[in-house]
Amino acid sequence: MTVSSEDDLIGLKLIGRIVADTLEVMKSAIEPGITTRELDRIGRQVLEAAGARSAPEMVYGFPGATCISVNEEIAHGIPGERRIAPGDLVNIDVSAEKGGFFSDTGASFAVPPVTRAVERLCRDGRRAMWMGLRQVGANKPLSAIGRAVGAFAEKNGYTLVRNLASHGVGLSLHEEPKEIATWPDASERRIMTDGMVFTVEPFLSLGATFAEDGDDPWTLYSRPRALTVQYEHTVVATRNGPLVLTMPGP
């Protein structure tokens, strides 16, 4: 999507705030013993109270309002009876629609007690995302995002999952520009246009380079098995740089 009016921006900011607030409420509810289904139910209640609809459920028939992935699961985890335990690494991905506009956000959370390595992974996963976001702006190369994230990962001893990319969003959950690499991609030649809406969502890992299918049609696992974090914002490329839409309210 390309923002073409103030009404577009108002609609995008509204759904961006809703998904960000939903993520914050779910984050606060994470505790040992809660099931991922119970956590998802909390997210659904927040979305519905705001008049929003779960995007993965609406668009793809996903069996949950949000995606919740634990430890070896790195994306598209199905909410169910799995109980969150101390030491777990929990990723929550929230995307939703309201008034014809879509937004997408996500983050990973470590449940204490965890090792310093996991604490550092979470801290650096967020930093990696911001390294990419700082490259966003009208008339800048999309490849700058992957180059910045890749340089950060290499410098700090991490790997990047290279088959889960960022994507356009706004009037649908996944749209042009598709397959935006958050790793160095020499073949990327596209330029960000003013008003372009897309996600920035690197998957930073302690060793994984690939996401592979599991036993169900949805859940993706790290290959090789290694703890992996994902942090994601929806952003608009503007002449003044990145306009991040998925920030929680005051």
Side-chain angles (χ1 to χ4, degrees):
M1 174 185 179
T2 299
V3 175
S4 60
S5 68
E6 187 62 27
D7 285 345
D8 284 351
L9 198 53
I10 289 170
L12 287 167
K13 286 181 175 179
L14 176 59
I15 189 58
R17 176 69 58 85
I18 290 169
V19 295
D21 287 345
T22 302
L23 182 63
E24 285 296 301
V25 172
M26 294 177 72
K27 168 190 172 182
S28 298
I30 295 173
E31 61 180 5
I34 191 171
T35 67
T36 56
R37 189 186 308 280
E38 290 167 337
L39 192 57
D40 181 67
R41 189 177 301 125
I42 291 168
R44 181 185 298 280
Q45 290 169 348
V46 177
L47 291 174
E48 290 180 350
R53 296 185 292 175
S54 161
E57 192 173 61
M58 168 187 167
V59 176
Y60 297 114
F62 180 77
T66 65
C67 300
I68 305 175
S69 309
V70 182
N71 296 338
E72 71 282 358
E73 305 166 347
I74 61 171
H76 307 161
I78 300 172
E81 299 312 309
R82 182 169 185 165
R83 292 191 180 276
I84 292 172
D88 279 347
L89 184 60
V90 182
N91 177 267
I92 301 174
D93 194 306
V94 182
S95 54
E97 177 273 341
K98 182 173 182 176
F101 295 100
F102 290 75
S103 198
D104 195 356
T105 191
S108 298
F109 308 102
V111 183
V114 294
T115 64
R116 287 186 178 180
V118 172
E119 288 180 350
R120 179 174 173 266
L121 176 64
C122 291
R123 179 199 70 196
D124 287 346
R126 196 174 293 277
R127 291 173 66 195
M129 174 189 65
W130 281 103
M131 289 289 178
L133 283 166
R134 291 189 188 103
Q135 308 309 311
V136 173
N139 302 315
K140 297 178 70 174
L142 273 171
S143 61
I145 297 170
R147 287 199 304 269
V149 175
F152 176 84
E154 184 175 9
K155 178 181 177 181
N156 291 281
Y158 297 104
T159 57
L160 291 164
V161 173
R162 293 177 177 243
N163 65 325
L164 290 175
S166 302
H167 56 89
V169 67
L171 294 177
S172 58
L173 180 55
H174 295 98
E175 60 181 77
E176 296 292 342
K178 295 180 179 178
E179 299 295 323
I180 304 168
T182 50
W183 57 88
D185 180 5
S187 69
E188 178 60 81
R189 295 287 185 270
R190 293 173 294 180
I191 301 297
M192 297 176 236
T193 55
D194 189 27
M196 181 183 284
V197 187
F198 55 94
T199 68
V200 173
E201 49 175 316
F203 285 76
L204 194 75
S205 182
L206 294 178
T209 57
F210 195 78
E212 65 180 6
D213 294 335
D215 294 333
D216 65 64
W218 302 100
T219 309
L220 297 175
Y221 295 82
S222 57
R223 192 177 82 193
R225 294 289 186 262
L227 289 178
T228 302
V229 294
Q230 175 246 25
Y231 293 87
E232 175 183 14
H233 275 311
T234 296
V235 65
V236 183
T238 79
R239 294 187 183 93
N240 296 318
L243 173 61
V244 177
L245 298 173
T246 43
M247 303 293 280

